[in-house]
Structures are given as structure tokens and as C-alpha cells.
Amino acid sequence: MTKPEIVFLMYHELELPGRKLVQSDPGYTRYVLSESAFSRQLEWLKQNNWLGLCVSDALNFPSQPSVAITFDDGCETDLLAAAPLLKKNGFQATFYITTGFLGRTGYLSRAHLKELSDAGFEIGCHSRTHAYLTDLSPMQMANEVELPKAEIEQVIGKRVEHFSCPGGRYDERVARAARNSGYLTVTTSRFSANSSSTDKFNLGRVTILRTTSTADFERICRGQGLWLANAADRVRNGARNLLGNNLYDQLRGKLLRSG
Ligand SMILES: [Zn+2]
């Protein structure tokens, strides 16, 4: 028998009719789904008897077909749009919060964050300033990994055990910093499913994009074709390592605007 594998889905801000997004550049909006598109994906899961889990529950690897549902950055729409739809379908999720964004226009406030946690959703950490961790000194790393954990715990009154990497930037040092700070897992943006033998400090996660079709979504949940997406991602990572994070972002912005 093959080991059960679970795909961890990654979402960001959701688009609501008449509501302004926190950023409007194409490099950002490609990660933004409409509320109705997100709703259709949850309905597909529900109708096909899939479970939508938080990271902690996903790591029990239930035998029923399941995905982990995760959100990065801590946008206001986590509470306004995602939470009600998740509740409606009986699903759990993990919301990774960037503490430096709390209270900014379009992001959760501290009160919102507490509300999301009290509603039963799992809260994780997505750094303090959304810095690319692979660029940082050990001191800066601690400020981005250890400090925001305590900050969120103070707001929600619960332990924060899961960390996700800003911009997917990941290396051994990030894993070590997270482990030393008391986290139990780190999720990356590596396109792969996770099983009980996957390193908990290097869990794969698949980004759901604005352009992800229903057929693509179903394939992603089943873990099909991720190797191909991963190969494309490796090419991108190769370019990023070659150019450095800054130059890579500038070039990527140019390409997306002209595309
Ligand atoms: Zn992020």
C-alpha cells in the first residue's frame, strides 16, 4: 500500500466585488482568487467527499482524501471571505500571519486575528516584515522567526506551531531557526505533496493562482502533475539563485507587466 499523501494548498488575499486589493501589480494579483472561485473549489472538495484540514490535522494523514488549506500574509479577507466559506463547508485551515502587516489597510487587525483564532481556525506565522529569510543575518533571522511567534501568541492566547516562508525563500538556516524557536513545522512553496516521511521542517505547498482552472485544481488536489510544476519551479529558483532575490524580483516584475 502506498503511503497517504496530502497536498497543502496555498492561498493569499481573496477578491470581493467592490473591494480594493492591498496591491494592484500583476506580480501580486496573480495570487489573488475571487471569492466565488475559492467558493467553487471548496464546493468541489465537499461534493467529492474531501476533507479540508489545518496543518496540524493534515499531519495525522487521515485515509480519507484530504487537502490542507493555508493562507499567507494575514489579509483582511481571511476573516471577511475565507473563514465564512470554510465554515459553511465544514473545513479547517491554517492562516499564516505577517505580524508587521497587522492593522494596515486591507490586513487583519489584532482584534480580527483573535476573532479568527477564536472561531477555531489555526494560526501560524509568516514572519514579521515579510523579508526574504535566505538573505538575512542570524540576528535578523531571529527577529523574523522568533519574535513574531511570541507576538501572535500574546494576541490569540494559544501556541503558534507552524511557520511559512515569505516568498517561498527557504534554506537549512530557516529550518534551524524555526526549530530553535519552538515551531513544529515549516511550509515552503515547493510543489510537492507531503507524506508521513516528509521532513516536517520542509513541507511542500502548492500555490493556487488566479489562473488555476477547475481541472487544474482537481489535479493539484490529487497530487497529479506536481513533478512538472516542480520542474518549472526549479528553473525559476535557479534563476533566482543566480541573480539574487532583488534583481530577480525586478526582472520578474518587468516580465509580468509586459506579458
Ligand atoms: Zn507572503
Side-chain angles (χ1 to χ4, degrees):
M1 207 181 94
T2 54
K3 268 192 194 148
E5 289 203 327
I6 298 190
V7 172
F8 285 34
L9 306 176
M10 181 191 346
Y11 294 95
H12 296 81
E13 189 175 22
L14 296 177
E15 189 167 43
L16 293 166
R19 184 184 172 278
K20 210 167 168 268
L21 298 172
V22 299
Q23 282 182 51
S24 59
D25 65 290
Y28 179 84
T29 57
R30 67 194 290 262
Y31 295 104
V32 177
L33 271 74
S34 69
E35 183 189 33
S36 55
F38 178 63
S39 177
R40 280 195 298 278
Q41 293 176 353
L42 296 189
E43 274 160 24
W44 180 84
L45 290 169
K46 182 85 183 166
Q47 279 161 11
N48 290 278
N49 285 320
W50 284 63
L51 300 174
L53 305 173
C54 63
V55 168
S56 290
D57 291 345
L59 293 174
N60 293 324
F61 299 98
S63 51
Q64 189 174 342
S66 309
V67 285
I69 301 176
T70 73
F71 281 80
D72 277 2
D73 299 348
C75 291
E76 190 182 34
T77 55
D78 290 0
L79 186 68
L80 290 181
L85 289 170
L86 289 161
K87 279 267 182 226
K88 183 178 151 201
N89 287 282
F91 293 155
Q92 254 289 353
T94 300
F95 292 92
Y96 291 103
I97 307 298
T98 301
T99 56
F101 294 169
L102 288 170
R104 286 195 197 170
T105 307
Y107 292 93
L108 297 169
S109 65
R110 274 157 213 273
H112 285 149
L113 172 57
K114 175 87 166 91
E115 198 179 329
L116 196 59
S117 171
D118 287 349
F121 293 106
E122 183 166 65
I123 307 298
C125 180
H126 189 54
S127 85
R128 193 171 64 87
T129 70
H130 209 272
Y132 295 154
L133 301 178
T134 49
D135 293 343
L136 304 183
S137 71
M139 178 66 98
Q140 290 169 320
M141 180 88 85
N143 284 339
E144 294 293 339
V145 178
E146 198 176 331
L147 283 188
K149 180 178 190 291
E151 209 181 334
I152 299 171
E153 287 174 345
Q154 201 164 29
V155 174
I156 65 172
K158 289 178 200 158
R159 282 183 58 183
V160 170
E161 297 178 326
H162 308 289
F163 186 86
S164 73
C165 300
R169 309 304 198 273
Y170 173 86
D171 61 19
E172 247 325 293
R173 291 169 56 239
V174 177
R176 210 175 318 128
R179 198 187 298 264
N180 292 341
S181 306
Y183 291 98
L184 302 181
T185 75
V186 172
T187 42
T188 66
S189 308
R190 188 165 42 81
F191 283 55
S192 57
N194 301 308
S195 76
S196 56
S197 56
T198 307
D199 178 358
K200 301 283 181 295
F201 287 87
N202 188 5
L203 293 164
R205 218 158 42 126
V206 181
T207 318
I208 304 300
L209 298 171
R210 183 182 274 276
T211 51
T212 304
S213 67
T214 308
D216 288 340
F217 179 76
E218 295 176 22
R219 271 195 294 273
I220 288 169
C221 292
R222 295 197 167 94
Q224 292 164 350
L226 296 183
W227 65 271
L228 189 62
N230 207 32
D233 204 47
R234 269 172 198 276
V235 172
R236 273 197 297 277
N237 282 334
R240 195 155 72 193
N241 293 339
L242 211 65
L243 298 168
N245 284 328
N246 263 331
L247 187 56
Y248 174 82
D249 274 355
Q250 285 170 29
L251 283 174
R252 179 168 162 275
K254 276 209 181 87
L255 289 170
L256 286 168
R257 272 192 296 278
S258 63

